[in-house]
Amino acid sequence: MKWTSPLAFAGVASKTNTSTMPPFRNNDNMIRRMLTKSKTIALVGASKNPNRASNEVMAMLLRQGYNVIPVNPGLANLGETVHDQKVYSSLKDIPIPIDMVDIFRNSHDAGGVVDEAIEVGAKGVWLQIGVINEEAAKQAQDSGLDVAMNVCPYHEMPRLGISGPDKEQN
């Protein structure tokens, strides 16, 4: 899908008339499910810079027991790692199933990431604080994905009393 600029973020309807769509609302039950059932998280927009939110959130998710796979084409082309995890160029390059895609990209670019998440069979997409794309959220929901938008696991996990993914039952 070709994404239009998410001007709704700026309070202006886009060319595809997002103003007729009801605004996306986060749901605590969905956020809880995403944070407890997801084990493998692809973090798009990963950064080696420890001052970047994506770096800090990735470190926290790893500490909490998630398998976090960084995605950043520039770093992948250099053969880099982030927090000792191999960096991939795209979601399509990740050789294992992805439960959740955590998006640290601008609102416009989030649409293409959501398309790729749908294509690779991810179960959910998480658009970080400030990443607001109503069309992408609707597309993900219409494709059966769980969606969180304009929130961060760093804040939601303690708020909901979640310490990491559910442990496997034997």
Side-chain angles (χ1 to χ4, degrees):
M1 170 179 248
K2 187 72 175 170
W3 292 96
T4 59
S5 178
L7 296 175
F9 179 69
V12 179
S14 76
K15 292 178 186 174
T16 58
N17 198 13
T18 57
S19 63
T20 62
M21 292 189 304
F24 177 83
R25 299 272 184 241
N26 286 303
N27 174 299
D28 281 353
N29 290 331
M30 184 175 294
I31 289 173
R32 182 175 283 106
R33 180 173 59 238
M34 291 174 77
L35 292 171
T36 58
K37 302 303 179 194
S38 297
K39 293 179 182 12
T40 300
I41 300 172
L43 194 142
V44 178
S47 173
K48 289 184 70 77
N49 182 341
N51 296 319
R52 299 294 302 250
S54 64
N55 186 285
E56 185 176 353
V57 170
M58 182 176 172
M60 181 274 300
L61 291 170
L62 287 166
R63 282 192 307 272
Q64 298 302 319
Y66 296 95
N67 175 27
V68 185
I69 302 168
V71 178
N72 179 314
L75 294 177
N77 290 338
L78 297 172
E80 295 280 354
T81 62
V82 176
H83 296 295
D84 297 321
Q85 307 299 308
K86 177 182 177 180
V87 180
Y88 289 86
S89 289
S90 71
L91 298 177
K92 296 173 195 170
D93 295 332
I94 298 172
I96 60 174
I98 301 166
D99 295 317
M100 181 173 84
V101 178
D102 193 356
I103 304 172
F104 281 89
R105 296 293 308 274
N106 67 47
S107 296
H108 181 266
D109 290 345
V113 177
V114 167
D115 286 342
E116 193 176 2
I118 294 166
E119 187 177 327
V120 301
K123 297 174 187 164
V125 292
W126 191 293
L127 287 74
Q128 279 291 330
I129 294 172
V131 183
I132 301 170
N133 187 320
E134 297 283 345
E135 294 173 40
K138 182 174 182 346
Q139 177 70 19
Q141 287 179 313
D142 289 351
S143 297
L145 278 67
D146 288 340
V147 178
M149 184 165 66
N150 198 27
V151 289
C152 181
Y154 194 90
H155 303 287
E156 296 303 303
M157 290 177 71
R159 183 180 73 80
L160 296 172
I162 297 168
S163 60
D166 286 347
K167 303 298 180 219
E168 299 273 344
Q169 299 292 324
N170 292 334

